[in-house]
Each structure stands twice: as C-alpha cells, then as structure tokens.
Amino acid sequence: MPFEELRLNQFVSKGLVLHRINYGEKDRILTLLLNDKGKVRVLAKSVRSSKSKLAGGIELFSESTVGLAKSRSELYVLTSGRLDRHFGNIAKDLQRTMLGYELLKIINKLCEDGSGEDFYPILVSSLEGLDGVGIDKEVTELWFNVQVLHEIGSLPNLQTAPNGTDLEQANMYSFDYDTQCFAPNDRGSFTQNHIKLLRLILSTKNPRVLVQIENMAELVPATHKLSRQLIELHVQR
C-alpha cells in the first residue's frame, strides 16, 4: 500500500485487548474493543520480538491508546500503542485473573466485528473493580452481569410480578425463569432489598459504589448467583 494511502487510513482510539493469539514467529493477532469502533481484529507485527516498541502498549487487563491502519485484508495493522492504565492487581490474584479472562470472553462473544462500543465503559469499570483490592470480586461480577444483561435487553423485570402487581407489595420472592420476573413466595430466596440492589446497580457507573451499601455481604450471594445463571442463559460462553 502506498505511503500516502496508508496515512489517510490511519486512526487512533482507546482500546482494550479481548483476546490475542501468536501468529508466525514474532507477530500476534489481537482482538481489540475500541471505545469508538467496537470490536476489531488487528495484526501486531513483531510484537513478540524483544526489541518491539509496541508490545508494552497492548497488554491484557489494560486500557491503551492504539494507532491502527486499514489494510487490504480484514485485519487492521497496529502502528502504535501507548499504555494508559494497567490494572495490575488483577494478575496478583488467581481467582481475579480467571474472572477477568471470563469477562473478556463474554464481551468478545457478544460483539460482532465493527460493533460493541457500548460495552466499552462496562468493561473498563469492571476491570477497575477487579483491580480494587477492597472490592469483593463477586460484587464486581454482579455489577458486570447486571450491566451486560441490561445492554443486551435481557434484564429481568424489576418493577412488577408476573401478575402485574407492584413488587413492593410482598416481603419474599422467588424468581420465575419463564416470565423473567420476581414472584411473591413466602419461601422465596429474595427480599425487597435484593430487588432494590439490582435496581441500584443499573444507576451506578462503577462497582466501587456498591461497597458503601449497608448489608451488602448479605445481599450479594443470592443476587450474584441469579445474575450468573441469567448470563449463562442469555450469553453463549
């Protein structure tokens, strides 16, 4: 490609690495989520070389500013990479690392090439949550799951029971998977406070806010379990 054409087809974006595989002797093929263009696949030439100046700007669990150029193939070409934020505490804990990989995997599967930029702030905030040593990883996963379910239009009805009555008219609830609603049930596992927590999560921009909620430790187990089940139901892993 002539130099003039290459320069015209270059652009710079904020990006997160969703997946990477080795290619050839020194290259990598990256799957990036960009804040303005969604998911793209990128050829990172010679980044596995010890002399590469690009490798440090495309780390997992990091937010970077990347320069990309269009090519004649379906892959973009990485032209520059600058590490802006590295969420280094994630890799210090095996369980947080495994959860981090799982969140990346979910977003990768949900996004088609050239789309998915609306998931970008969700993923950034989730990585911030996993990086925060004072935040329980289940709280971060719960926040992520609820935000993703809302984004794909699969969040349960948090306002009314299956019969249309207001949810605040009963003390205990079970979850009805057929109607995706909370149903009044004296032997149910959910209280009004569980439902209020799920509503609150929708209005927060970061899981760190949830740490301030009283009785959070009592509310997380049931809501976390439900959110994982709903993600598995609606998102093919």
Side-chain angles (χ1 to χ4, degrees):
M1 181 181 293
F3 175 76
E4 293 79 6
E5 182 181 351
L6 177 62
R7 189 168 62 181
L8 288 174
N9 285 283
Q10 289 182 341
F11 61 92
V12 175
S13 293
K14 291 280 190 179
L16 301 163
V17 178
L18 297 179
H19 184 64
R20 60 185 186 181
I21 58 173
N22 292 337
Y23 181 73
E25 293 185 2
K26 297 182 179 180
D27 302 342
R28 275 199 177 112
I29 294 178
L30 310 172
T31 301
L32 302 181
L33 183 67
L34 305 181
N35 68 328
D36 55 354
K37 297 182 183 298
K39 187 170 84 170
V40 297
R41 290 188 292 166
V42 177
L43 175 62
K45 296 181 178 179
S46 300
V47 293
R48 291 158 55 207
S49 168
S50 59
K51 298 180 180 180
S52 174
K53 297 181 179 180
L54 296 176
I58 49 171
E59 294 292 332
L60 287 168
F61 306 138
S62 300
E63 184 177 28
S64 302
T65 298
V66 294
L68 302 177
K70 293 182 179 179
S71 67
R72 291 196 177 100
S73 72
E74 61 182 11
L75 299 176
Y76 289 90
V77 176
L78 183 71
T79 59
S80 64
R82 185 187 72 230
L83 190 67
D84 296 326
R85 290 193 294 173
H86 179 55
F87 306 106
N89 288 326
I90 297 177
K92 296 177 182 179
D93 182 277
L94 179 58
Q95 292 185 336
R96 288 176 183 264
T97 301
M98 292 175 63
L99 178 55
Y101 280 119
E102 186 65 23
L103 302 190
L104 298 180
K105 181 180 177 181
I106 289 172
I107 296 299
N108 192 15
K109 288 198 171 184
L110 283 173
C111 299
E112 299 290 338
D113 288 351
S115 67
E117 57 269 24
D118 290 340
F119 289 105
Y120 190 90
I122 296 175
L123 187 52
V124 169
S125 293
S126 299
L127 293 177
E128 288 177 348
L130 280 182
D131 192 56
V133 293
I135 305 175
D136 194 292
K137 66 182 182 62
E138 279 76 22
V139 172
T140 296
E141 185 180 8
L142 169 62
W143 185 91
F144 171 87
N145 289 343
V146 171
Q147 297 293 339
V148 167
L149 289 168
H150 179 258
E151 186 62 39
I152 64 177
S154 297
L155 190 71
N157 183 347
L158 301 178
Q159 304 302 323
T160 59
N163 62 3
T165 59
D166 191 277
L167 286 178
E168 296 182 359
Q169 293 183 6
N171 293 321
M172 300 297 296
Y173 299 86
S174 59
F175 188 74
D176 187 331
Y177 286 89
D178 290 333
T179 62
Q180 294 289 288
C181 294
F182 288 90
N185 185 339
D186 291 338
R187 297 183 179 180
S189 302
F190 302 95
T191 66
Q192 292 180 16
N193 287 334
H194 288 103
I195 299 171
K196 289 178 180 178
L197 172 60
L198 294 174
R199 292 173 184 163
L200 177 63
I201 290 174
L202 289 178
S203 65
T204 60
K205 296 183 178 180
N206 195 294
R208 289 178 295 183
V209 177
L210 303 179
V211 177
Q212 305 171 16
I213 299 175
E214 294 183 7
N215 302 323
M216 191 64 182
E218 299 176 8
L219 300 175
V220 168
T223 49
H224 174 253
K225 180 180 179 181
L226 175 63
S227 73
R228 291 203 70 178
Q229 290 172 339
L230 292 174
I231 284 289
E232 292 172 357
L233 180 64
H234 295 291
V235 179
Q236 183 180 2
R237 298 198 182 195

